[in-house]
Amino acid sequence: NLNMEASGTDEVDKLKTKFMSAWNNMKYSWVLKTKTYFSRNSPVLLLGKCYHFKYEDENKMLPARSGCTIEDHVIAGNVEEFRKDFISRIWLTYREEFPQIEASALTTDCGWGCTLRTGQMLLAQGLILHFLGRGERELRTPAVSLKETIGKYSDDHAVQNEIYHRKIISWFGDSPVAVFGLHRLIEFGKKSGKKAGDWYGPAVVAHILRKAVEEARHPDLQGITIYVAQDCTVYNSDVIDKQTDSVTSGDGRDKAVIILVPVRLGGERTNTDYLEFVKGVLSLEYCVGIIGGKPKQSYYFAGFQDDSLIYMDPHYCQSFVDVSIKDFPLETFHCPSPKKMSFRKMDPSCTIGFYCRNVQDFERASEEITK
């Protein structure tokens, strides 16, 4: 078909998009299949929770079942616990074929939206803490449908959790109506001079998230606010003002706050002296992760083992999922495998996130963080 003049650029854009998606997936699909090795001797930290993969008692080996290697007898459930914990985090990646972004021909964020995605993951973790807590009880398995949950657990708590889990994911849907969806975030990015297709840095994303939470009209979101540190400084009185702004919370209760601190850990490259600091941060129960990555590749850092950071990678282009459908499939919102990368490769620019449920929590957290 040579009659391409009129829709020429659109067609070319569509082709470019298709090519980009295919290229990204070729590049990243092996990532999901490659195994990540964890050492048995060092603790693993994931968002303030510590896991030990050591054998509890070397002598008390379980009797070898036929065809079963010693490797399968992992310690007292900790590996499994870690796996479950990791898989139940919300994973947000590039998507394609979603409703067109206003003022652009784009229907995908493949190749440019990774920092917005890692920002979404950090916010999602904050919301999970806010609505579900950091308990063991978050999700039995992410892939169950609501019907199964209701069938399996007569326990109201599990059903409540499942409903909130779905609700949180739906707030990040790729459509103009989703409160924290890509379309909205791009809208707020315009104020910082960013448009769809641009590269977003971790500091800009912090301000976009703050705006998105401030503007969210959803009744469930009135009890939470975001504070972004200026020049690496958190002014306690400003945070507390935000938390006790009773005009907005209406019921006289403190608001929860997500504190975002854009930092630069070194000059051209990350200064390894900051390794202990980053580990300290990821060990705090208040931590909701770090929007960071390698140069020009954003990752969501959620933990560490030794000198490697554990992260979730948004660079995997998945198809649009319509989250407005009652029982939309959850599988693609959960990452099957944790990835590790050496701290030395980390880009120095990042944004660190903390969640505090109320003023008292904030005061405790500031003490911990100051230490």
Side-chain angles (χ1 to χ4, degrees), residues 143-302:
V144 292
S145 72
L146 202 51
K147 284 194 287 294
E148 276 182 75
T149 305
I150 293 168
K152 233 185 271 183
Y153 312 103
S154 47
D155 163 12
D156 291 343
H157 197 82
V159 174
Q160 264 321 99
N161 276 3
E162 178 73 19
I163 289 168
Y164 261 106
H165 189 84
R166 282 183 169 278
K167 190 185 283 190
I168 292 168
I169 290 175
S170 73
W171 289 335
F172 293 94
D174 296 305
S175 82
V177 295
V179 280
F180 305 129
L182 197 76
H183 295 67
R184 281 275 167 94
L185 300 185
I186 288 164
E187 223 15 75
F188 294 126
K190 286 180 180 163
K191 315 250 188 319
S192 322
K194 293 283 177 200
K195 57 181 196 310
D198 287 353
W199 166 257
Y200 294 71
V204 167
V205 169
H207 288 282
I208 290 176
L209 294 175
R210 177 183 57 81
K211 200 86 189 98
V213 169
E214 264 167 26
E215 302 282 321
R217 292 284 161 263
H218 197 290
D220 283 347
L221 292 165
Q222 299 319 298
I224 188 164
T225 181
I226 288 192
Y227 173 90
V228 180
Q230 296 295 328
D231 305 320
C232 294
T233 313
V234 172
Y235 295 99
N236 291 21
S237 57
D238 291 354
V239 176
I240 292 169
D241 284 351
K242 266 190 110 105
Q243 290 189 274
T244 51
D245 175 10
S246 56
V247 185
T248 45
S249 54
D251 54 7
R253 274 210 306 258
D254 302 351
K255 280 189 169 195
V257 66
I258 292 173
I259 296 167
L260 299 177
V261 189
V263 292
R264 218 184 144 78
L265 307 174
E268 279 300 286
R269 36 176 24 160
T270 296
N271 180 340
T272 47
D273 295 350
Y274 286 114
L275 174 60
E276 289 313 308
F277 161 73
V278 171
K279 286 181 172 187
V281 162
L282 290 167
S283 308
L284 293 172
E285 56 172 316
Y286 303 101
C287 182
V288 286
I290 298 174
I291 303 169
K294 290 179 182 163
K296 284 278 180 263
Q297 265 196 353
S298 187
Y299 296 149
Y300 170 59
F301 294 122

Side-chain angles (χ1 to χ4, degrees), residues 46-80:
L46 185 68
L47 297 164
K49 280 191 110 148
C50 187
Y51 294 93
H52 289 277
F53 292 174
K54 256 209 214 29
Y55 294 111
E56 293 277 288
D57 179 355
E58 293 289 352
N59 314 326
K60 216 172 62 206
M61 278 300 179
L62 299 166
R65 295 194 301 277
S66 56
C68 171
T69 64
I70 290 173
E71 284 300 292
D72 294 341
H73 300 312
V74 198
I75 52 99
N78 245 196
V79 169
E80 209 23 53

